[in-house]
Amino acid sequence: MNLLKLLKPALLLPFVLMLSGCQLILLDPAGWVANQERDLLVISTLLMLIIIVPVLVMAVYIPWRYRDSRKATDDYDPEFEHSSLFEAFIWGVPVMIVIALGAVTAIYTHKLDPYKPLDHIAAEPLEIDVVSMDWKWLFIYPEQNIAVVNELVLPTDRPVNLRLTSSSVMNTFSVPALAGMIYTMAGMETKLHLVADDAGKYYGRSANYSGPGYAHMDFETYAVSEDEFTKWVDNAKSSGTELSVDAYQTLDKPSAADGVYYYNGVAENLFDKVVGLCVEPGKVCIGDMMMQDMMGGGGLKGIETKKNYVYDEFAPGEGFDQHEFEGEIHANPDEPRKGPVNVKNPDQTVMNLDGGVSTASETARQ
């Protein structure tokens, strides 16, 4: 009777999880890469349960079976000191599980290398450059010569090659429905390859704390058909303004809770300049600086052009008042943003992708 009372709360647990609104997107992903990661998670969990479940059962059974108040004690053997079979079991099973886990992890680690292109998909890859900023995401489509802030649109069944960097502090790009996480770092370029198998709207965000606007650093990812992707590109080309060097420098100023806005053109080699920390006119790209250092440096004349080689003299975000900035965040009409929403749509149509352009508040970006 007492055991039944203890089990009643446990029986309610599934209903509590259903009411919590949790989305098990990791167990129901929408892309090949995320599917493989799901399989690795499930296989690893099942392998570990082989030892975890018996241990949990024995942790309850043994104290109860050999409790001091038990009446039958005829199984007590004071001469017992060793069992080869028992030793082989308690050591052999964990060792085999560790070997199996290591083998599975090694296979999937090489299979899901984020730098490894998805060559098994015949379609032509789509190139996208990603820049994490304070505190928003910039997506540049070099082949289409467009850019968009806080919205990522992908065609389904087509591999996507992402090049990623940061204009400021370290961040982490994460769209759990499609792929794993990858870091973005200033002065460095990382890569990630993914593909969307199912059309839909999926949640993306920064998964690495990066300052006061971090909570608003999310974006929606739309996986659409090729026709819808083409329409979206055409709409972006007819909207907004060009992402020139001056426009980029304005965009790079700290802001949060920004809306979605488009640029119908992108300055030449902008992403490479962001990686090289040389978007500002006159700045020497870090790759050129390292080459000059290798050749012996600039000598005494280099002192005169010192400012062209300084990249981190001031901390990121320096120059704005923290309290004033927090006021701007909460005064932004786009705040608060909606929470995580992942919606699959096998019919190849996506909701809430109307092609409209919403502009971030000017006060937050200036």
Side-chain angles (χ1 to χ4, degrees):
M1 196 67 178
N2 292 333
L3 182 61
L4 182 61
K5 289 182 178 180
L6 293 175
L7 286 176
K8 282 183 178 180
L11 295 175
L12 293 174
L13 183 60
F15 299 99
V16 173
L17 292 175
M18 292 174 64
L19 293 173
S20 68
C22 294
Q23 298 185 60
L24 301 178
I25 192 63
L26 291 178
L27 299 179
D28 186 26
W32 181 84
V33 175
N35 268 300
Q36 301 300 310
E37 293 173 342
R38 185 269 317 275
D39 293 345
L40 175 59
L41 177 65
V42 172
I43 293 171
S44 300
T45 301
L46 292 176
L47 284 172
M48 289 184 286
L49 285 176
I50 294 175
I51 192 67
I52 292 174
V53 171
V55 168
L56 293 177
V57 172
M58 292 168 63
V60 175
Y61 173 74
I62 290 180
W64 176 83
R65 177 68 177 81
Y66 297 101
R67 64 192 184 281
D68 183 61
S69 61
R70 74 186 193 281
K71 296 180 180 179
T73 59
D74 54 346
D75 57 350
Y76 175 65
D77 182 5
E79 303 298 325
F80 176 82
E81 62 178 16
H82 180 75
S83 171
S84 298
L85 180 63
F86 185 66
E87 290 283 349
F89 178 78
I90 63 173
W91 287 104
V93 173
V95 167
M96 288 188 291
I97 291 174
V98 170
I99 292 174
L101 278 173
V104 169
T105 303
I107 292 171
Y108 276 89
T109 297
H110 291 283
K111 186 178 183 180
L112 299 176
D113 181 355
Y115 281 60
K116 183 179 180 180
L118 303 180
D119 295 332
H120 65 283
I121 302 174
E124 184 70 19
L126 172 66
E127 304 291 336
I128 301 179
D129 298 332
V130 183
V131 182
S132 61
M133 313 175 85
D134 291 334
W135 283 269
K136 49 195 169 281
W137 291 93
L138 172 65
F139 301 101
I140 301 173
Y141 293 72
E143 297 169 344
Q144 290 73 26
N145 194 31
I146 62 172
V148 59
V149 174
N150 289 337
E151 182 179 83
L152 178 61
V153 180
L154 315 170
T156 54
D157 301 319
R158 182 177 174 185
V160 178
N161 301 339
L162 299 176
R163 298 194 302 164
L164 306 99
T165 191
S166 172
S167 68
S168 180
V169 297
M170 181 184 294
N171 264 294
T172 305
F173 175 87
S174 175
V175 184
L178 299 179
M181 299 184 294
I182 193 75
Y183 280 103
T184 64
M185 293 164 280
M188 299 180 65
E189 177 187 320
T190 53
K191 295 182 180 180
L192 182 66
H193 296 85
L194 56 85
V195 61
D197 297 330
D198 300 315
K201 180 176 72 172
Y202 307 107
Y203 182 70
R205 68 160 302 115
S206 168
N208 188 75
Y209 179 73
S210 56
Y214 158 77
H216 303 273
M217 198 171 173
D218 55 2
F219 59 92
E220 290 177 339
T221 299
Y222 294 94
V224 300
S225 66
E226 281 286 351
D227 290 340
E228 288 190 357
F229 178 73
T230 301
K231 292 178 182 178
W232 176 81
V233 171
D234 292 339
N235 176 76
K237 287 183 177 180
S238 62
S239 307
T241 59
E242 181 183 3
L243 184 59
S244 61
V245 170
D246 291 339
Y248 174 84
Q249 290 179 303
T250 300
L251 177 67
D252 196 31
K253 294 178 180 178
S255 64
D258 288 49
V260 175
Y261 40 103
Y262 301 144
Y263 294 97
N264 57 16
V266 182
E268 186 177 0
N269 297 326
L270 179 61
F271 180 79
D272 293 330
K273 291 178 180 178
V274 174
V275 175
L277 303 178
C278 54
V279 176
E280 181 183 343
K283 284 287 185 182
V284 177
C285 297
I286 55 175
D288 296 330
M289 182 193 70
M290 289 187 286
M291 182 183 68
Q292 291 175 17
D293 287 345
M294 185 178 66
M295 300 298 293
L300 292 176
K301 289 186 177 181
I303 299 176
E304 301 173 3
T305 57
K306 173 188 173 184
K307 64 178 182 179
N308 295 336
Y309 295 84
V310 175
Y311 309 103
D312 53 1
E313 186 174 5
F314 302 102
E318 185 172 329
F320 70 93
D321 181 81
Q322 175 72 31
H323 299 291
E324 181 181 346
F325 183 76
E326 289 177 354
E328 291 175 354
I329 290 178
H330 298 295
N332 193 303
D334 294 316
E335 197 273 340
R337 300 289 298 277
K338 294 181 180 179
V341 175
N342 296 282
V343 180
K344 282 188 178 182
N345 193 335
D347 297 329
Q348 291 288 300
T349 57
V350 176
M351 297 71 69
N352 300 330
L353 187 60
D354 54 8
V357 180
S358 58
T359 305
S361 71
E362 293 298 325
T363 56
R365 287 195 283 138
Q366 291 179 355

